[in-house]
Amino acid sequence: MPNVEEADGSTKFDTKVGSKKNSQNGDANASALTRSSDEKGSLAKIKDYKYVRACWGFVTWTPERCRWNPESPPKFSLGLNLLFGFAGTFTVANLYYNHPILNILARDFNVTDERSSLIPTVMQAGYAAGLLFLCPLGDIFPRRAFVLILVLFTATMWLGLCVTKSFSVFLALSFITAVSTVTPQLMLPLVGDLAPLHKRATALSIVVSGLLLGMLIARLLSGILTQYTSWRSIYWFSFGMQYLSFFLLFLFMPDYPRTNPGGLNYFSILFSILKMVVKHPVLVQACGVGFLVSSTFTSYWTTLTFLLSSPPYSFNPVTIGLFALVGIGAMCFGPFYSKAIIDRFVPLFSVILGLIYCITGVIIGTYSGKHTVAGPIIQAFAIDLGLQTSQIANRSAIYAIEPKARNRVNTAYMVSVFCGQLMGTAVGNRLYAKGGWIASGSASVGFIGVALLCCFARAPWEQGWVGWGGGWGIRRRDLAGSHEPAVEQALNELSAESGKEFTEGEKPVESKESGARGVSHTQLR
């Protein structure tokens, strides 16, 4: 049975995630009912605890203005778009606060620098686990309740990081909080669901800008606050920002129905991600490009510290941290660029432009960086703009392939991007140790060159894996048609199947505005 909404606005999660339509015989229905009753009974025992029940009721309660009404669905406004971007900034920043202060953490916890380097490692591992095992659940659960639970859990667990004096506890909590720091990756597919087709890239760019901004601003704020106060200051700051994000989302994030109201099996969902990769050429192309471009981003920002802290520059940590301001400027420029370019042309064209920005900046920075600081500054702006441009365009392309599986599509793409970041960090550090700044930068030139080959191997209108079928026209041909968000598709499918899946006491209602056959408010959950 789908999740239902109580009269007070609270949402009850469907404990039978993988429910299947089975009306072939009474025995099968009886068996399914028994299993469902057992599962609900187990969940009910957990929710019988006083504090659990109170927390559950609070998190799943929905303000009246945010409740889903199929006759008057909430509009995806600029304000909501900015809220998602804000929440994404200070959520993804959790992964990067520790990067510039590892030596200070090592000293405070009385461990070696090698031990302290485990902190970003376990957080990266936790984030990867969250991407793979939590993000696909966005195609099953109502997004509002799921996002709020994850944000609240992360913020609450973060308190332990602020106060613990045990390095082992700090390490364990770092992993746990990183697993649940994937809420921005749930918001991006939701933006893809809700934004009109002709504004999708612009809407995505605001959230993507928030994510990339979080990566940069975390390093900047962490270095400055730790320099003049204590490393715990930045963790307390993060604690406050996460709870602020939670309350803002709680008050203003509308409730939306699931894109798969019929239910899906969790393990089938994970397997379907692999099937998508071998089914959709555009997804494979986007994953390959994302892997290669993201490697240049992390390689640059990792090795930049080594370059600027050594002669002829010998900058202090605060000055090095200010280089993040260059990247932040590129991030702020992204939404305007998306509206002018990405929304008007085919995604592949924008991806190629982004790669050209990247390779131009990397060449300038790599071969002039030992002589003038202007080279790394130009490179910072170019690769941040190029990465943002290519990521937004890639997401705009892949979100069109399976509208009801956008969380799984996003998982496949983000896993490849994350692996590229890991590869860029490892390769960049290794090459810098052996051959210096020019060696690591030259590898980035090679990575972007391979990415360009991936783009030119398949034209924007080619339906197969390789080829130039359909030509290289860069103007979009899909803006004339109407765009139906995945949420509306789910509603239409519910309406079409209403005769088969109505539970006892629930009947369809007629839409007053369009006369189209609708479904009750209760059924949408």
Side-chain angles (χ1 to χ4, degrees):
M1 179 179 178
N3 300 340
V4 298
E5 182 161 318
E6 300 294 321
D8 64 353
S10 63
T11 303
K12 294 170 64 179
F13 265 117
D14 180 5
T15 55
K16 190 174 67 173
V17 173
S19 61
K20 296 182 178 180
K21 292 181 288 184
N22 192 339
S23 58
Q24 295 178 353
N25 57 71
D27 292 339
N29 289 336
S31 176
L33 182 60
T34 301
R35 289 194 301 271
S36 177
S37 299
D38 292 341
E39 292 168 351
K40 290 179 181 178
S42 300
L43 185 61
K45 290 180 181 178
I46 298 176
K47 294 169 67 176
D48 279 342
Y49 292 101
K50 178 181 178 181
Y51 296 109
V52 173
R53 186 167 62 249
C55 291
W56 184 268
F58 172 71
V59 174
T60 58
W61 182 81
T62 306
E64 186 173 355
R65 67 176 179 276
C66 297
R67 297 175 191 174
W68 174 259
N69 181 357
E71 295 184 3
S72 180
K75 302 297 183 182
F76 184 70
S77 63
L78 176 61
L80 184 60
N81 203 172
L82 292 173
L83 173 59
F84 284 173
F86 174 85
T89 297
F90 290 102
T91 301
V92 79
N94 293 343
L95 303 172
Y96 301 98
Y97 288 123
N98 61 77
H99 284 204
I101 59 173
L102 290 177
N103 60 323
I104 297 174
L105 291 172
R107 184 184 62 202
D108 199 65
F109 284 111
N110 195 27
V111 297
T112 64
D113 288 344
E114 184 178 5
R115 284 276 291 166
S116 70
S117 67
L118 290 175
I119 298 172
T121 302
V122 298
M123 294 201 79
Q124 288 174 335
Y127 188 66
L131 282 175
L132 190 57
F133 297 112
L134 288 183
C135 285
L137 293 174
D139 288 333
I140 301 176
F141 295 142
R143 265 74 64 90
R144 174 186 161 88
F146 192 32
V147 166
L148 289 178
I149 288 171
L150 288 178
V151 173
L152 180 62
F153 174 82
T154 306
T156 304
M157 296 298 292
W158 196 264
L159 179 62
L161 293 173
C162 297
V163 300
T164 185
K165 295 183 178 180
S166 168
F167 182 75
S168 298
V169 173
F170 190 90
L171 207 60
L173 289 176
S174 294
F175 177 82
I176 294 171
T177 53
V179 171
S180 54
T181 305
V182 293
T183 46
Q185 302 304 331
L186 296 170
M187 295 175 186
L188 280 166
L190 182 58
V191 172
D193 284 349
L194 303 173
L197 184 59
H198 65 286
K199 294 182 179 179
R200 180 182 293 168
T202 303
L204 287 172
S205 72
I206 293 175
V207 183
V208 171
S209 296
L211 301 187
L212 299 177
L213 181 63
M215 296 170 64
L216 298 175
I217 202 172
R219 294 181 171 93
L220 177 64
L221 292 178
S222 182
I224 293 175
L225 284 179
T226 303
Q227 178 81 7
Y228 297 107
T229 58
S230 163
W231 69 264
R232 294 188 188 271
S233 299
I234 189 63
Y235 276 79
W236 280 112
F237 171 81
S238 174
F239 175 75
M241 295 307 297
Q242 288 177 81
Y243 263 99
L244 175 61
S245 298
F246 170 77
F247 284 114
L248 289 175
L249 290 169
F250 180 83
L251 293 174
F252 299 108
M253 182 179 180
D255 197 10
Y256 298 102
R258 298 179 296 169
T259 53
N260 293 279
L264 293 170
N265 179 272
Y266 177 66
F267 296 102
S268 297
I269 282 181
L270 296 181
F271 183 68
S272 70
I273 296 174
L274 297 177
K275 293 195 292 186
M276 288 178 187
V277 173
V278 299
K279 179 181 178 183
H280 299 291
V282 66
L283 178 59
V284 174
Q285 187 179 38
C287 288
V289 172
F291 174 87
L292 293 163
V293 177
S294 62
S295 68
T296 65
F297 179 84
T298 53
S299 176
Y300 169 77
W301 285 105
T302 301
T303 57
L304 179 67
T305 302
F306 303 139
L307 173 70
L308 297 181
S309 61
S310 59
Y313 304 116
S314 301
F315 293 153
N316 60 45
V318 174
T319 304
I320 295 173
L322 293 176
F323 269 70
L325 295 175
V326 179
I328 292 173
M331 304 307 167
C332 296
F333 180 67
F336 304 100
Y337 181 90
S338 298
K339 184 176 182 180
I341 303 295
I342 302 178
D343 274 328
R344 297 176 57 193
F345 301 100
V346 294
L348 184 61
F349 174 70
S350 298
V351 172
I352 293 173
L353 285 181
L355 295 178
I356 292 174
Y357 304 151
C358 281
I359 199 169
T360 302
V362 171
I363 290 173
I364 293 173
T366 296
Y367 302 110
S368 67
K370 296 287 290 184
H371 310 289
T372 173
V373 74
I377 291 176
I378 294 172
Q379 183 175 352
F381 185 88
I383 64 171
D384 285 358
L385 178 61
L387 175 70
Q388 184 184 30
T389 299
S390 62
Q391 281 203 5
I392 295 167
N394 275 328
R395 291 180 190 274
S396 182
I398 63 178
Y399 285 168
I401 59 178
E402 292 200 25
K404 292 177 65 178
R406 285 191 174 122
N407 283 280
R408 283 166 282 167
V409 170
N410 187 68
T411 295
Y413 178 71
M414 278 309 302
V415 166
S416 67
V417 169
F418 185 77
C419 290
Q421 292 175 354
L422 294 179
M423 190 267 286
T425 301
V427 173
N429 287 339
R430 185 69 178 269
L431 290 177
Y432 190 93
K434 287 190 172 183
W437 175 255
I438 292 179
S440 62
S442 297
S444 294
V445 174
F447 293 150
I448 300 175
V450 175
L452 283 169
L453 291 178
C454 291
C455 291
F456 288 115
R458 183 177 178 275
W461 304 106
E462 172 62 48
Q463 299 298 313
W465 291 91
V466 178
W468 293 1
W472 278 89
I474 61 174
R475 287 283 183 178
R476 298 184 65 167
R477 305 170 185 172
D478 54 355
L479 297 181
S482 61
H483 170 53
E484 183 180 39
V487 168
E488 295 181 13
Q489 293 179 1
L491 292 177
N492 290 340
E493 290 192 6
L494 269 178
S495 299
E497 298 174 358
S498 57
K500 301 177 183 178
E501 296 193 274
F502 284 142
T503 56
E504 186 175 352
E506 297 174 340
K507 294 182 180 181
V509 297
E510 293 293 324
S511 171
K512 296 180 181 180
E513 295 182 1
S514 63
R517 193 175 182 184
V519 291
S520 69
H521 182 66
T522 302
Q523 286 177 281
L524 295 176
R525 303 291 170 267

